[in-house]
Amino acid sequence: RPSAVRMPVVMTVAKPGTRSSSQWQAIHADIEAHLKKAIPVNPPPVVLEPMHHLTFAAPRSTAPALCVAACELVGGSRDQAMPAAAALHIIRAAAVAHENLPLTDRPAIRPPVAHPFGPNVELMTGDGMVPFGFELLAGSGDPAGGNSGRVLRAIVEITRAVGSQGMVHGQYREVEYLLSRVQGSRDDQEWAADHVWAKKEGDLHACAAACGAILGGGTEEEIEGLRRYGFYVGMVRGMTAHGGGGREDRWSNAVVEDMKKLARKALAGFDAGKVEAVASILDCGIES
Amino acid sequence: RPSAVRMPVVMTVAKPGTRSSSQWQAIHADIEAHLKKAIPVNPPPVVLEPMHHLTFAAPRSTAPALCVAACELVGGSRDQAMPAAAALHIIRAAAVAHENLPLTDRPAIRPPVAHPFGPNVELMTGDGMVPFGFELLAGSGDPAGGNSGRVLRAIVEITRAVGSQGMVHGQYREVEYLLSRVQGSRDDQEWAADHVWAKKEGDLHACAAACGAILGGGTEEEIEGLRRYGFYVGMVRGMTAHGGGGREDRWSNAVVEDMKKLARKALAGFDAGKVEAVASILDCGIES
């Protein structure tokens, strides 16, 4: 039985006036604590042990932390975003588990990961994690507290971002892209890679930021601004972590800098004094 | 590319005074029409064609129809239950797809099914179907119409019934049961089989009936009565379709008759004139 797996953390020095890397770490720690409380390690251990493992084994995403930060930017409290952040973390971790499942028709195109539980259990554990994520979020709706409508809207946002037109589509394109990397023109490769990160990281971060704004009571303008911001954050994350689809590094860096500019532009409507707390995620070295 | 797959239908003669088999067929047809409208066959076809196929290829379950009938029994309209019925259908179909996925460590213990799309696409299609099911249900919440609280409650019900303590647990037990069928005492086998049907069919039908009652505005007593009823319906369905865990047929039939009695008893609190419309599902020959 594997012991608890710690997520790797890369610390960077914070720029003056921004939310420091340690503040982002604090958000991550809050989300992790929320998840650990939510996932009991009780019977049946055949189900809950692998769930615990797979939930924390996945490389950390910045999307859940962005959800919390977006909620705080529009004046909401951290608690209001926490169930959505936890749901995003769990559902994405399930997708990562299924990505790494060895299948008879899927060549080993991704770097190998440890499989302490075997494919049958990993498949079913992932299948259990997705409804659990939605349960955490749906269960946070309080009809008496009047947030039911917001929670339902966040659920719809997440279903779209992780479903067949979002994350799953990105995963499918990624397999195609990885299989064809050696062939194909460079333009094709660049476009294919951008498409993968748009679906797997752009849409996910856009959804996370929008959900935070929805749950924190943001205006429609704030929600859409943060959605655009999240999309560019996700693209920056995807391209930085996974490369620019065969582009030369110099050119790839230029595209990333461009995305960062677009991201900051999407925050133009917000209070300049508060905006840096969210914008600093662009320069944080936390593993994407 | 496979053409649309029709669900197999077994017609039986209705008893006088009950909801006839053709009325159950009508409910199924309504759910199917709702699903066909909900799942476009638009771009990207790589995702939506397999989704369409897997949604209708799974053997039909009585759970979605029970959800609709339960809603009508408590005075609700068919429309109020339809998104939950569609969600139950889609999410269960995804579970069936994943059950039939060939994995490197899962011996061929289930009867073989056709795999027109290959494991990689079937895995990801199932992964897309689950959020899509929740999207249909969450999207039916109308904050202005005041049903948000009910819809959130139905989502929590479904997440629990299909997650790691429900359907997924049943699937895990089923693999264990099928692998060990040749060994083990008869008591063990009976218990294991009952446990599988309790999780895979009992809990699912209990959830379906409870969701129908919740969405139709039933009282807490009605919701819990229909939940108990649904559980026994599911057990009857599971044992009838899949056998009684090695029990002699005579003994197995006696257990099924007992479950039917318990099911009818759970409906004791309802208007006797209306109850047969729901109770007739116990004697319908629709494939479970």
Side-chain angles (χ1 to χ4, degrees):
Chain A
R1 290 173 187 188
S3 58
V5 174
R6 298 285 311 175
M7 290 183 277
V9 170
V10 182
M11 299 292 286
T12 53
V13 180
K15 288 183 188 174
T18 68
R19 191 192 289 267
S20 71
S21 186
S22 65
Q23 285 173 302
W24 285 107
Q25 292 301 323
I27 295 182
H28 278 291
D30 277 2
I31 296 170
E32 200 173 319
H34 187 89
L35 284 166
K36 286 199 171 144
K37 231 172 70 181
I39 307 174
V41 189
N42 288 333
V46 288
V47 171
L48 288 167
E49 273 184 34
M51 184 181 279
H52 205 270
H53 169 74
L54 290 174
T55 299
F56 295 110
R60 180 185 280 174
S61 167
T62 36
L66 179 58
C67 175
V68 170
C71 179
E72 291 177 339
L73 177 60
V74 301
S77 73
R78 190 163 292 197
D79 286 352
Q80 287 176 298
M82 203 49 81
L88 284 163
H89 180 103
I90 289 174
I91 294 169
R92 179 180 164 280
V96 171
H98 281 190
E99 267 177 21
N100 288 310
L101 212 55
L103 290 180
T104 51
D105 72 336
R106 197 155 69 175
I109 43 180
R110 292 189 175 94
V113 298
H115 290 285
F117 290 102
N120 185 44
V121 167
E122 287 193 357
L123 170 69
M124 289 193 285
T125 304
D127 283 346
M129 285 162 71
V130 174
F132 183 65
F134 286 117
E135 181 187 343
L136 287 181
L137 182 49
S140 75
D142 174 13
N147 73 336
S148 299
R150 288 182 193 172
V151 170
L152 277 176
R153 194 170 162 191
I155 292 172
V156 171
E157 291 279 348
I158 295 176
T159 58
R160 288 183 183 160
V162 301
S164 64
Q165 316 232 1
M167 175 99 72
V168 170
H169 195 191
Q171 289 178 312
Y172 181 84
R173 299 306 298 253
E174 190 177 23
V175 171
E176 276 191 326
Y177 165 64
L178 292 172
L179 281 175
S180 71
R181 195 158 46 177
V182 256
Q183 311 124 3
S185 75
R186 214 178 67 183
D187 276 5
D188 284 354
Q189 283 179 40
E190 288 174 7
W191 186 85
D194 291 351
H195 200 75
V196 168
W197 312 140
K199 289 289 172 189
K200 286 189 69 177
E201 299 288 354
D203 283 1
L204 186 72
H205 284 75
C207 161
C211 283
I214 290 166
L215 292 165
T219 64
E220 292 305 315
E221 211 183 332
E222 288 174 327
I223 293 164
E224 294 315 311
L226 279 162
R227 185 195 304 283
R228 272 197 305 283
Y229 173 70
F231 179 80
Y232 292 118
V233 169
M235 289 302 285
V236 169
R237 288 278 153 189
M239 297 185 74
T240 307
H242 307 285
R247 290 184 181 97
E248 283 172 45
D249 280 354
R250 200 173 44 123
W251 176 221
S252 188
N253 288 343
V255 176
V256 166
E257 287 311 310
D258 214 45
M259 299 269 176
K260 286 188 181 181
K261 269 183 213 143
L262 289 165
R264 287 182 177 277
K265 212 173 147 187
L267 295 177
F270 290 89
D271 179 339
K274 288 183 186 165
V275 121
E276 276 307 309
V278 160
S280 65
I281 207 171
L282 286 165
D283 301 307
C284 271
I286 300 162
E287 190 177 357
S288 163
Chain B
R1 290 174 186 186
S3 59
V5 174
R6 298 285 311 173
M7 289 184 277
V9 171
V10 182
M11 299 292 286
T12 52
V13 180
K15 288 184 188 171
T18 69
R19 191 193 289 264
S20 71
S21 185
S22 65
Q23 285 172 302
W24 285 107
Q25 292 301 321
I27 295 181
H28 278 292
D30 278 2
I31 295 170
E32 200 173 320
H34 188 88
L35 284 166
K36 286 199 171 145
K37 231 171 72 182
I39 307 173
V41 188
N42 287 335
V46 289
V47 170
L48 288 166
E49 273 184 35
M51 183 180 279
H52 205 270
H53 169 73
L54 290 174
T55 299
F56 296 109
R60 181 185 278 173
S61 166
T62 37
L66 179 58
C67 175
V68 170
C71 179
E72 290 177 339
L73 177 61
V74 302
S77 72
R78 190 163 292 195
D79 286 352
Q80 287 176 298
M82 202 49 80
L88 283 163
H89 180 103
I90 288 173
I91 293 168
R92 178 180 164 280
V96 171
H98 281 190
E99 269 177 19
N100 289 310
L101 212 55
L103 290 181
T104 49
D105 70 337
R106 198 155 69 174
I109 42 180
R110 293 191 174 92
V113 299
H115 289 286
F117 289 104
N120 185 43
V121 167
E122 287 192 359
L123 169 70
M124 290 193 284
T125 305
D127 283 346
M129 285 163 70
V130 174
F132 184 65
F134 286 117
E135 182 187 343
L136 287 181
L137 181 50
S140 75
D142 174 13
N147 73 337
S148 298
R150 288 181 192 173
V151 170
L152 277 177
R153 194 169 162 190
I155 292 172
V156 171
E157 291 279 348
I158 295 177
T159 57
R160 288 182 183 161
V162 302
S164 63
Q165 315 232 1
M167 174 100 71
V168 170
H169 195 192
Q171 289 177 313
Y172 181 84
R173 300 307 298 252
E174 191 177 23
V175 171
E176 276 192 326
Y177 165 66
L178 292 171
L179 280 175
S180 70
R181 195 158 46 176
V182 257
Q183 311 124 0
S185 76
R186 215 178 64 183
D187 277 5
D188 284 353
Q189 283 179 40
E190 288 173 6
W191 186 85
D194 291 351
H195 199 76
V196 168
W197 312 140
K199 289 288 172 190
K200 286 190 69 177
E201 299 288 355
D203 283 0
L204 186 72
H205 283 76
C207 160
C211 283
I214 289 166
L215 294 164
T219 64
E220 292 305 316
E221 212 183 331
E222 288 174 325
I223 293 164
E224 294 315 312
L226 279 162
R227 186 195 303 283
R228 272 197 305 282
Y229 173 71
F231 179 80
Y232 292 118
V233 169
M235 289 302 284
V236 168
R237 288 277 152 190
M239 296 185 77
T240 307
H242 307 285
R247 290 184 182 95
E248 284 172 45
D249 281 353
R250 199 171 45 121
W251 178 222
S252 187
N253 288 344
V255 176
V256 166
E257 286 311 311
D258 214 45
M259 299 268 176
K260 285 189 181 181
K261 268 184 212 142
L262 289 165
R264 286 182 177 278
K265 212 173 148 187
L267 295 177
F270 290 90
D271 179 341
K274 288 184 187 166
V275 120
E276 276 307 310
V278 160
S280 65
I281 207 172
L282 287 165
D283 302 306
C284 270
I286 300 163
E287 190 179 356
S288 162

